[in-house]
Amino acid sequence: MFPQAPAAMPTRPLGRTGLNVTTLGFGASGIGNLGHPRTDLDAARAVGAAWDAGIRLFDTAPHYGLGLSELRLGDALRERPRDAYVLSTKVGRLLRPHPAPTGSDLAAGGFAVADDLIRVWDFSADGVSRSLEESLTRLGVDRIDVVYVHDPDDAVDEAVSHAIPALIRLRDQGVIGAVGVGMNQWQAPLRMVRETDLDVVMLAGRYTLLDRSGEQLLDECAGRGVAVVAAAPFNSGILARPWPADGAHFNYAPAPDPVLQRARRLAETCQAHDVTLPVAALQFPLRHPAVTSVVTGMGSAAHVAAAAAAMRTTVPTGLWQATG
């Protein structure tokens, strides 16, 4: 019923979990209406295009569209063989009825959906269990392969003492496949890797062609057998086009001029090697031995096609040497 990709996407072991993941992963924030609305059909076509391109890692979260991303991803994957793909979601934000909805989540959460629900932070063991149960229902599956503690920036101690141990118990019981943390910083995950039995770190934006501040974390993960999934390889937009334009975003805000100029120098170096900046940005994280996959947001079939083509483009060694 569903055609296979003409060329398989390469896979790598996800650390010591026993799972194998494609080197390119489908980030499902876009199909949760990140930034602007998309239809159910748009979402289904995006997931279908990812499948046809050979992508077999799909990542979502309750946060994305107040559950819409999980619902749409589950619908789009429902007829696919469950053992043929790896599915990840996140815990830390419970979705509860909004006591005073404004009509849109766009200003508060960044998603173009009605805000009938509100996110409630909860990194307790009970909160983790309830979040996972609700995600299973929205996704329409009986198991989730990887569960990340999502953005515990203001609750690091609680994540270490409650959320991660709760997930480890579920992993050891065979309820989930692997335990991870997903953050936009590297310092707290470094502590967690050292103090807990994590399997995976999803690091967003801190090991990219432009921002390599998370390298210490990656080195630690490599030494401990902890897998790293590199998310946000375009640093929220600045590396997503061949030439970073004025006003290009870095870390979800307009890039400071020094960052913009550094990105443009990278673009010039890429041009000198007949490679576009987005191609180099997408492939760069995979050069570190800890990184098993790069996950980028794919809100449409066109996004999928561009990412898959970029991942299959040959990058000359000279470019990596020139960019450090």
Side-chain angles (χ1 to χ4, degrees):
M1 182 182 299
F2 299 106
Q4 295 293 318
M9 187 71 65
T11 63
R12 293 183 178 182
L14 190 68
R16 55 180 181 247
T17 66
L19 298 166
N20 289 303
V21 294
T22 47
T23 52
L24 179 61
F26 182 96
S29 58
I31 64 170
N33 287 5
L34 177 64
H36 61 85
R38 296 171 177 88
T39 67
D40 291 345
L41 182 58
D42 291 336
R45 285 174 172 167
V47 176
W51 190 273
D52 293 345
I55 295 169
R56 295 295 184 269
L57 172 61
F58 297 88
D59 176 73
T60 184
H63 169 55
Y64 302 156
L66 295 170
L68 180 62
S69 173
E70 289 186 321
L71 288 167
R72 284 175 164 173
L73 184 61
D75 285 344
L77 291 173
R78 188 145 295 130
E79 301 302 321
R80 318 283 177 172
R82 181 62 189 87
D83 291 338
Y85 63 90
V86 173
L87 177 64
S88 61
T89 192
K90 305 179 183 76
V91 296
R93 293 172 174 91
L94 292 171
L95 303 181
R96 294 296 177 257
H98 198 313
T102 66
S104 173
D105 180 60
L106 197 55
F111 293 86
V113 296
D115 62 343
D116 298 329
L117 300 172
I118 193 170
R119 302 166 183 86
V120 177
W121 292 102
D122 193 334
F123 294 102
S124 69
D126 182 60
V128 163
S129 179
R130 284 182 289 145
S131 181
L132 182 58
E133 289 175 5
E134 291 165 13
S135 287
L136 286 166
T137 298
R138 284 189 292 268
L139 286 160
V141 296
D142 60 3
R143 75 178 192 278
I144 295 170
D145 300 298
V146 184
V147 180
Y148 296 103
V149 180
H150 197 188
D151 293 338
D153 297 80
D154 297 320
V156 175
D157 288 342
E158 190 174 10
V160 169
S161 59
H162 296 290
I164 294 173
L167 289 177
I168 289 172
R169 288 192 293 272
L170 292 173
R171 180 197 65 193
D172 293 347
Q173 295 164 9
V175 177
I176 63 176
V179 178
V181 62
M183 302 185 74
N184 293 283
Q185 57 150 299
W186 62 268
Q187 293 91 339
L190 180 62
R191 174 187 167 187
M192 295 170 186
V193 166
R194 289 172 171 169
E195 296 183 11
T196 74
D197 188 26
L198 281 182
D199 299 302
V200 193
V201 172
M202 176 174 278
L203 183 64
R206 301 285 77 80
Y207 191 72
T208 72
L209 192 64
L210 183 60
D211 182 344
R212 307 179 193 186
S213 58
E215 189 166 9
Q216 180 182 351
L217 168 63
L218 269 63
D219 291 346
E220 187 81 13
C221 288
R224 293 174 178 266
V226 175
V228 174
V229 173
F234 303 127
N235 283 122
S236 72
I238 194 169
L239 303 179
R241 291 176 176 80
W243 185 256
D246 291 344
H249 276 214
F250 173 78
N251 284 357
Y252 312 104
D257 190 64
V259 175
L260 182 62
Q261 296 309 317
R262 195 161 72 248
R264 286 175 173 170
R265 288 194 294 272
L266 286 169
E268 290 172 346
T269 302
C270 289
Q271 290 170 2
H273 289 82
D274 296 320
V275 174
T276 66
L277 182 62
V279 167
L282 196 63
Q283 293 193 27
F284 169 78
L286 291 165
R287 293 179 54 75
H288 195 286
V291 176
T292 62
S293 186
V294 175
V295 169
T296 184
M298 301 182 194
S300 68
H303 290 162
V304 173
M311 191 61 79
R312 291 190 167 110
T313 299
T314 299
V315 176
T317 303
L319 173 60
W320 302 129
Q321 295 171 338
T323 56

Short mmCIF file of all heavy atoms in Angstrom, two decimals, residues 140-190:
data_model
loop_
_atom_site.label_atom_id
_atom_site.label_comp_id
_atom_site.label_asym_id
_atom_site.label_seq_id
_atom_site.Cartn_x
_atom_site.Cartn_y
_atom_site.Cartn_z
N GLY A 140 -2.38 7.14 19.32
CA GLY A 140 -3.06 5.92 18.91
C GLY A 140 -2.14 4.72 18.78
O GLY A 140 -2.34 3.86 17.92
N VAL A 141 -1.11 4.65 19.63
CA VAL A 141 -0.16 3.54 19.60
C VAL A 141 -0.13 2.89 20.98
O VAL A 141 -0.63 3.44 21.97
CB VAL A 141 1.25 4.01 19.21
CG1 VAL A 141 1.26 4.54 17.78
CG2 VAL A 141 1.78 5.07 20.17
N ASP A 142 0.47 1.70 21.04
CA ASP A 142 0.56 1.00 22.31
C ASP A 142 1.93 1.11 22.96
O ASP A 142 2.14 0.60 24.06
CB ASP A 142 0.16 -0.47 22.15
CG ASP A 142 1.07 -1.22 21.18
OD1 ASP A 142 2.04 -0.61 20.68
OD2 ASP A 142 0.79 -2.41 20.93
N ARG A 143 2.86 1.77 22.27
CA ARG A 143 4.17 1.98 22.88
C ARG A 143 4.87 3.16 22.20
O ARG A 143 4.58 3.49 21.05
CB ARG A 143 5.04 0.73 22.75
CG ARG A 143 5.60 0.49 21.36
CD ARG A 143 6.51 -0.74 21.33
NE ARG A 143 7.28 -0.84 20.10
CZ ARG A 143 6.83 -1.33 18.96
NH1 ARG A 143 5.58 -1.77 18.89
NH2 ARG A 143 7.61 -1.38 17.89
N ILE A 144 5.77 3.77 22.94
CA ILE A 144 6.60 4.85 22.43
C ILE A 144 8.05 4.44 22.64
O ILE A 144 8.43 3.97 23.72
CB ILE A 144 6.28 6.18 23.12
CG1 ILE A 144 4.85 6.61 22.76
CG2 ILE A 144 7.27 7.26 22.70
CD1 ILE A 144 4.32 7.77 23.56
N ASP A 145 8.85 4.60 21.61
CA ASP A 145 10.22 4.08 21.66
C ASP A 145 11.14 4.92 22.52
O ASP A 145 11.97 4.39 23.26
CB ASP A 145 10.77 3.98 20.23
CG ASP A 145 9.94 3.04 19.36
OD1 ASP A 145 9.86 1.86 19.69
OD2 ASP A 145 9.36 3.53 18.37
N VAL A 146 11.06 6.23 22.37
CA VAL A 146 11.94 7.14 23.12
C VAL A 146 11.08 8.22 23.76
O VAL A 146 10.26 8.85 23.08
CB VAL A 146 12.99 7.80 22.21
CG1 VAL A 146 13.95 8.66 23.05
CG2 VAL A 146 13.76 6.76 21.42
N VAL A 147 11.26 8.43 25.06
CA VAL A 147 10.54 9.49 25.76
C VAL A 147 11.56 10.45 26.36
O VAL A 147 12.44 10.05 27.13
CB VAL A 147 9.63 8.93 26.86
CG1 VAL A 147 8.90 10.08 27.58
CG2 VAL A 147 8.62 7.94 26.28
N TYR A 148 11.44 11.72 25.98
CA TYR A 148 12.35 12.77 26.45
C TYR A 148 11.68 13.60 27.55
O TYR A 148 10.50 13.96 27.43
CB TYR A 148 12.71 13.73 25.31
CG TYR A 148 13.47 13.12 24.16
CD1 TYR A 148 12.83 12.81 22.96
CD2 TYR A 148 14.84 12.90 24.25
CE1 TYR A 148 13.52 12.28 21.88
CE2 TYR A 148 15.55 12.37 23.17
CZ TYR A 148 14.88 12.06 21.99
OH TYR A 148 15.57 11.54 20.93
N VAL A 149 12.44 13.96 28.57
CA VAL A 149 12.03 15.00 29.49
C VAL A 149 12.27 16.32 28.76
O VAL A 149 13.38 16.62 28.36
CB VAL A 149 12.82 14.93 30.81
CG1 VAL A 149 12.36 16.04 31.75
CG2 VAL A 149 12.65 13.56 31.46
N HIS A 150 11.21 17.12 28.61
CA HIS A 150 11.21 18.23 27.68
C HIS A 150 11.44 19.57 28.40
O HIS A 150 10.62 20.01 29.21
CB HIS A 150 9.86 18.27 26.95
CG HIS A 150 9.84 19.08 25.71
ND1 HIS A 150 8.68 19.36 25.02
CD2 HIS A 150 10.84 19.67 24.99
CE1 HIS A 150 8.97 20.07 23.94
NE2 HIS A 150 10.27 20.28 23.92
N ASP A 151 12.56 20.21 28.11
CA ASP A 151 12.85 21.58 28.55
C ASP A 151 12.75 21.79 30.07
O ASP A 151 12.11 22.75 30.52
CB ASP A 151 11.89 22.57 27.87
CG ASP A 151 12.12 22.69 26.38
OD1 ASP A 151 13.23 22.36 25.93
OD2 ASP A 151 11.18 23.10 25.66
N PRO A 152 13.41 20.96 30.88
CA PRO A 152 13.34 21.20 32.32
C PRO A 152 14.35 22.26 32.80
O PRO A 152 15.01 22.08 33.83
CB PRO A 152 13.67 19.82 32.90
CG PRO A 152 14.64 19.24 31.92
CD PRO A 152 14.16 19.73 30.57
N ASP A 153 14.45 23.36 32.07
CA ASP A 153 15.46 24.38 32.40
C ASP A 153 15.29 24.93 33.80
O ASP A 153 16.28 25.21 34.48
CB ASP A 153 15.36 25.54 31.38
CG ASP A 153 15.66 25.09 29.97
OD1 ASP A 153 14.77 24.52 29.32
OD2 ASP A 153 16.79 25.30 29.51
N ASP A 154 14.03 25.09 34.24
CA ASP A 154 13.77 25.65 35.56
C ASP A 154 13.43 24.57 36.58
O ASP A 154 12.95 24.88 37.68
CB ASP A 154 12.62 26.66 35.48
CG ASP A 154 12.95 27.84 34.59
OD1 ASP A 154 14.11 28.31 34.65
OD2 ASP A 154 12.07 28.29 33.83
N ALA A 155 13.69 23.32 36.23
CA ALA A 155 13.35 22.21 37.13
C ALA A 155 14.38 21.09 36.99
O ALA A 155 14.03 19.91 36.96
CB ALA A 155 11.96 21.69 36.82
N VAL A 156 15.66 21.47 36.93
CA VAL A 156 16.71 20.47 36.71
C VAL A 156 16.76 19.47 37.85
O VAL A 156 16.83 18.26 37.64
CB VAL A 156 18.07 21.16 36.50
CG1 VAL A 156 19.17 20.10 36.39
CG2 VAL A 156 18.04 22.04 35.26
N ASP A 157 16.70 19.96 39.09
CA ASP A 157 16.75 19.05 40.23
C ASP A 157 15.58 18.07 40.21
O ASP A 157 15.75 16.88 40.49
CB ASP A 157 16.74 19.84 41.54
CG ASP A 157 18.06 20.57 41.80
OD1 ASP A 157 19.07 20.21 41.16
OD2 ASP A 157 18.06 21.50 42.62
N GLU A 158 14.40 18.59 39.90
CA GLU A 158 13.22 17.72 39.86
C GLU A 158 13.32 16.71 38.73
O GLU A 158 12.92 15.54 38.88
CB GLU A 158 11.94 18.55 39.72
CG GLU A 158 10.68 17.74 39.90
CD GLU A 158 9.41 18.56 39.90
OE1 GLU A 158 9.49 19.77 39.58
OE2 GLU A 158 8.36 18.00 40.22
N ALA A 159 13.86 17.13 37.60
CA ALA A 159 14.04 16.20 36.49
C ALA A 159 14.99 15.07 36.88
O ALA A 159 14.74 13.89 36.58
CB ALA A 159 14.55 16.94 35.26
N VAL A 160 16.08 15.43 37.57
CA VAL A 160 17.08 14.43 37.97
C VAL A 160 16.53 13.49 39.03
O VAL A 160 16.79 12.27 39.00
CB VAL A 160 18.36 15.13 38.46
CG1 VAL A 160 19.31 14.15 39.14
CG2 VAL A 160 19.06 15.83 37.30
N SER A 161 15.75 14.02 39.96
CA SER A 161 15.31 13.21 41.10
C SER A 161 13.97 12.53 40.89
O SER A 161 13.67 11.53 41.58
CB SER A 161 15.25 14.07 42.37
OG SER A 161 14.35 15.15 42.21
N HIS A 162 13.15 13.03 39.96
CA HIS A 162 11.80 12.47 39.80
C HIS A 162 11.49 12.02 38.37
O HIS A 162 11.17 10.85 38.14
CB HIS A 162 10.75 13.49 40.26
CG HIS A 162 10.84 13.83 41.71
ND1 HIS A 162 10.50 12.95 42.71
CD2 HIS A 162 11.25 14.96 42.34
CE1 HIS A 162 10.68 13.51 43.89
NE2 HIS A 162 11.15 14.73 43.69
N ALA A 163 11.57 12.96 37.41
CA ALA A 163 11.12 12.63 36.05
C ALA A 163 11.97 11.54 35.40
O ALA A 163 11.43 10.56 34.86
CB ALA A 163 11.11 13.89 35.18
N ILE A 164 13.28 11.70 35.44
CA ILE A 164 14.15 10.72 34.78
C ILE A 164 14.07 9.36 35.48
O ILE A 164 13.91 8.33 34.80
CB ILE A 164 15.59 11.24 34.69
CG1 ILE A 164 15.65 12.45 33.75
CG2 ILE A 164 16.54 10.14 34.21
CD1 ILE A 164 17.00 13.15 33.70
N PRO A 165 14.13 9.29 36.82
CA PRO A 165 13.96 7.97 37.45
C PRO A 165 12.62 7.31 37.12
O PRO A 165 12.56 6.08 36.97
CB PRO A 165 14.07 8.29 38.95
CG PRO A 165 14.94 9.51 39.00
CD PRO A 165 14.53 10.31 37.79
N ALA A 166 11.55 8.10 37.01
CA ALA A 166 10.25 7.53 36.65
C ALA A 166 10.30 6.90 35.26
O ALA A 166 9.77 5.80 35.03
CB ALA A 166 9.16 8.60 36.72
N LEU A 167 10.93 7.58 34.32
CA LEU A 167 11.06 7.03 32.97
C LEU A 167 11.97 5.81 32.95
O LEU A 167 11.72 4.86 32.20
CB LEU A 167 11.57 8.11 32.02
CG LEU A 167 10.60 9.23 31.67
CD1 LEU A 167 11.28 10.27 30.77
CD2 LEU A 167 9.34 8.70 30.98
N ILE A 168 13.02 5.84 33.76
CA ILE A 168 13.91 4.68 33.81
C ILE A 168 13.16 3.45 34.31
O ILE A 168 13.33 2.33 33.79
CB ILE A 168 15.14 5.00 34.70
CG1 ILE A 168 16.06 5.99 33.97
CG2 ILE A 168 15.91 3.72 35.05
CD1 ILE A 168 17.19 6.52 34.82
N ARG A 169 12.28 3.64 35.31
CA ARG A 169 11.48 2.51 35.79
C ARG A 169 10.58 1.98 34.67
O ARG A 169 10.44 0.76 34.49
CB ARG A 169 10.64 2.93 37.00
CG ARG A 169 11.46 3.14 38.27
CD ARG A 169 10.56 3.26 39.49
NE ARG A 169 9.76 4.48 39.47
CZ ARG A 169 10.17 5.65 39.96
NH1 ARG A 169 11.38 5.77 40.49
NH2 ARG A 169 9.38 6.70 39.93
N LEU A 170 9.98 2.88 33.91
CA LEU A 170 9.13 2.45 32.79
C LEU A 170 9.95 1.74 31.72
O LEU A 170 9.50 0.76 31.13
CB LEU A 170 8.41 3.66 32.20
CG LEU A 170 7.36 4.31 33.10
CD1 LEU A 170 6.85 5.60 32.46
CD2 LEU A 170 6.19 3.35 33.35
N ARG A 171 11.16 2.23 31.48
CA ARG A 171 12.04 1.55 30.52
C ARG A 171 12.40 0.15 31.01
O ARG A 171 12.35 -0.82 30.25
CB ARG A 171 13.31 2.37 30.32
CG ARG A 171 14.31 1.76 29.34
CD ARG A 171 15.69 2.38 29.51
NE ARG A 171 16.25 2.08 30.82
CZ ARG A 171 17.32 2.70 31.33
NH1 ARG A 171 17.93 3.66 30.66
NH2 ARG A 171 17.77 2.37 32.53
N ASP A 172 12.74 0.05 32.28
CA ASP A 172 13.16 -1.24 32.82
C ASP A 172 11.99 -2.24 32.87
O ASP A 172 12.22 -3.45 32.85
CB ASP A 172 13.76 -1.06 34.21
CG ASP A 172 15.09 -0.29 34.17
OD1 ASP A 172 15.64 -0.13 33.05
OD2 ASP A 172 15.55 0.17 35.23
N GLN A 173 10.76 -1.71 32.90
CA GLN A 173 9.57 -2.56 32.86
C GLN A 173 9.16 -2.92 31.43
O GLN A 173 8.23 -3.70 31.23
CB GLN A 173 8.40 -1.86 33.56
CG GLN A 173 8.60 -1.65 35.05
CD GLN A 173 7.63 -0.64 35.64
OE1 GLN A 173 6.69 -0.20 34.98
NE2 GLN A 173 7.87 -0.26 36.89
N GLY A 174 9.87 -2.33 30.45
CA GLY A 174 9.55 -2.59 29.06
C GLY A 174 8.40 -1.77 28.51
O GLY A 174 7.94 -2.01 27.39
N VAL A 175 7.96 -0.75 29.27
CA VAL A 175 6.85 0.09 28.82
C VAL A 175 7.30 1.04 27.71
O VAL A 175 6.56 1.30 26.75
CB VAL A 175 6.26 0.88 30.00
CG1 VAL A 175 5.15 1.82 29.53
CG2 VAL A 175 5.73 -0.08 31.06
N ILE A 176 8.51 1.59 27.85
CA ILE A 176 9.10 2.44 26.82
C ILE A 176 10.45 1.86 26.44
O ILE A 176 11.02 1.03 27.17
CB ILE A 176 9.24 3.91 27.27
CG1 ILE A 176 10.20 4.01 28.47
CG2 ILE A 176 7.88 4.48 27.63
CD1 ILE A 176 10.47 5.44 28.92
N GLY A 177 11.00 2.32 25.32
CA GLY A 177 12.26 1.75 24.86
C GLY A 177 13.49 2.45 25.37
O GLY A 177 14.51 1.81 25.63
N ALA A 178 13.43 3.78 25.53
CA ALA A 178 14.62 4.53 25.91
C ALA A 178 14.21 5.82 26.60
O ALA A 178 13.12 6.35 26.38
CB ALA A 178 15.47 4.83 24.67
N VAL A 179 15.13 6.33 27.42
CA VAL A 179 14.89 7.52 28.23
C VAL A 179 15.83 8.62 27.75
O VAL A 179 17.04 8.41 27.59
CB VAL A 179 15.14 7.24 29.72
CG1 VAL A 179 14.95 8.51 30.54
CG2 VAL A 179 14.23 6.14 30.21
N GLY A 180 15.27 9.81 27.57
CA GLY A 180 16.10 10.92 27.11
C GLY A 180 15.73 12.23 27.77
O GLY A 180 14.78 12.33 28.54
N VAL A 181 16.50 13.25 27.45
CA VAL A 181 16.19 14.62 27.82
C VAL A 181 16.34 15.45 26.56
O VAL A 181 17.26 15.21 25.76
CB VAL A 181 17.09 15.14 28.96
CG1 VAL A 181 18.55 15.15 28.55
CG2 VAL A 181 16.65 16.53 29.41
N GLY A 182 15.46 16.41 26.37
CA GLY A 182 15.52 17.29 25.21
C GLY A 182 15.55 18.74 25.65
O GLY A 182 14.63 19.20 26.33
N MET A 183 16.64 19.45 25.29
CA MET A 183 16.81 20.83 25.74
C MET A 183 17.52 21.66 24.70
O MET A 183 18.16 21.13 23.79
CB MET A 183 17.59 20.88 27.07
CG MET A 183 16.94 20.09 28.20
SD MET A 183 17.77 20.27 29.81
CE MET A 183 17.26 21.94 30.26
N ASN A 184 17.43 22.99 24.87
CA ASN A 184 18.12 23.94 24.02
C ASN A 184 19.43 24.41 24.64
O ASN A 184 20.04 25.36 24.15
CB ASN A 184 17.23 25.17 23.78
CG ASN A 184 16.02 24.85 22.95
OD1 ASN A 184 16.11 24.70 21.74
ND2 ASN A 184 14.87 24.71 23.60
N GLN A 185 19.86 23.79 25.69
CA GLN A 185 21.13 24.10 26.35
C GLN A 185 21.88 22.79 26.57
O GLN A 185 21.30 21.71 26.55
CB GLN A 185 20.90 24.80 27.69
CG GLN A 185 20.02 23.98 28.65
CD GLN A 185 20.34 24.21 30.11
OE1 GLN A 185 21.45 23.95 30.56
NE2 GLN A 185 19.36 24.70 30.87
N TRP A 186 23.20 22.91 26.83
CA TRP A 186 24.01 21.70 27.02
C TRP A 186 24.42 21.47 28.47
O TRP A 186 24.75 20.35 28.85
CB TRP A 186 25.26 21.76 26.15
CG TRP A 186 26.21 22.90 26.47
CD1 TRP A 186 26.22 24.14 25.89
CD2 TRP A 186 27.26 22.89 27.44
NE1 TRP A 186 27.22 24.91 26.44
CE2 TRP A 186 27.88 24.17 27.39
CE3 TRP A 186 27.76 21.94 28.33
CZ2 TRP A 186 28.94 24.52 28.21
CZ3 TRP A 186 28.83 22.29 29.15
CH2 TRP A 186 29.41 23.57 29.08
N GLN A 187 24.37 22.50 29.30
CA GLN A 187 24.91 22.36 30.65
C GLN A 187 24.07 21.41 31.51
O GLN A 187 24.62 20.51 32.18
CB GLN A 187 24.99 23.74 31.32
CG GLN A 187 25.99 24.66 30.68
CD GLN A 187 25.39 25.53 29.56
OE1 GLN A 187 24.34 25.20 29.00
NE2 GLN A 187 26.05 26.65 29.27
N ALA A 188 22.75 21.58 31.53
CA ALA A 188 21.91 20.69 32.33
C ALA A 188 21.94 19.25 31.82
O ALA A 188 22.05 18.32 32.62
CB ALA A 188 20.48 21.22 32.39
N PRO A 189 21.86 19.02 30.50
CA PRO A 189 22.00 17.64 30.03
C PRO A 189 23.33 17.00 30.42
O PRO A 189 23.40 15.80 30.67
CB PRO A 189 21.87 17.78 28.51
CG PRO A 189 21.03 18.98 28.32
CD PRO A 189 21.44 19.92 29.42
N LEU A 190 24.40 17.80 30.46
CA LEU A 190 25.69 17.26 30.87
C LEU A 190 25.60 16.72 32.29
O LEU A 190 26.09 15.62 32.60
CB LEU A 190 26.78 18.33 30.76
CG LEU A 190 28.20 17.89 31.16
CD1 LEU A 190 28.69 16.78 30.26
CD2 LEU A 190 29.15 19.08 31.12
#
